[in-house]
Amino acid sequence: MPAALTVEPFRTRGRWVVTTASGAAHLIDSLDPDVAATIIRLTDGPPTGSPVPRAALRRDRAALRVTSVHHVDPVLGRVEGVAVGREMWLVLEPLGVGADVTVRRTTPVTAIDPQPADSDQGAVHGDE
C-alpha cells in the first residue's frame, strides 16, 4: 500500500504506522467502529544514533484509547488528523492519577504507512 500524506482516523477506518522525525513509530488502529480508536507507541526509549531526542513514555508499547488526533496547519490552525511534515497532537485516555486526559505532541511526522487489517505490525518494531 502506498504511504499517505494525511489521514483522519476518526473518519477513515484503518490501521497506520505513523513515523516521526525522532524515529518513534506509532500504530493507530480505528478499524472497529464499535471500539475506541487506539494508538501504540511501537518504539520506546532513546534512539540509537539519532540526532533528534526521544524519551521513554508511560505505557510505551501498550494500546491507549485516543479521543483526538490533530495537527496544526499554519493557515487553518488546528486540523483533525495526521499530516506528514506536522507535529502530531494526541489526546489520550488519562495516564496519570487524577488526570482527565493525557496530551502528547510528537516531533514532525515523516511517514504515514497504511497497514492491512490482519497486520501484526504492533508485535515487534523499532530499534531492534
Side-chain angles (χ1 to χ4, degrees):
M1 282 183 255
L5 293 177
T6 62
V7 68
E8 210 296 81
F10 294 100
R11 292 199 180 135
T12 304
R13 298 290 172 194
R15 289 169 49 105
W16 303 268
V17 171
V18 177
T19 307
T20 68
S22 70
H26 307 263
L27 176 65
I28 299 175
D29 186 338
S30 67
L31 275 175
D32 188 340
D34 297 323
V35 177
T38 60
I39 189 163
I40 301 172
R41 186 170 185 243
L42 302 172
T43 48
D44 53 4
T48 53
S50 172
V52 180
R54 181 176 74 222
L57 300 175
R58 285 176 290 185
R59 297 188 47 202
D60 275 343
R61 296 183 182 259
L64 303 174
R65 286 187 324 272
V66 180
T67 58
S68 174
V69 178
H70 66 274
H71 64 279
V72 178
D73 181 273
V75 174
L76 302 173
R78 183 177 181 264
V79 178
E80 292 299 317
V82 182
V84 170
R86 303 281 176 225
E87 296 171 339
M88 178 171 56
W89 289 77
L90 302 161
V91 180
L92 307 171
E93 65 182 274
L95 299 180
V97 176
D100 292 324
V101 298
T102 296
V103 178
R104 290 186 176 168
R105 181 181 78 186
T106 71
T107 55
V109 170
T110 58
I112 303 169
D113 296 305
Q115 301 295 304
D118 60 352
S119 168
D120 65 349
Q121 180 63 43
V124 176
H125 185 86
D127 293 331
E128 290 83 22

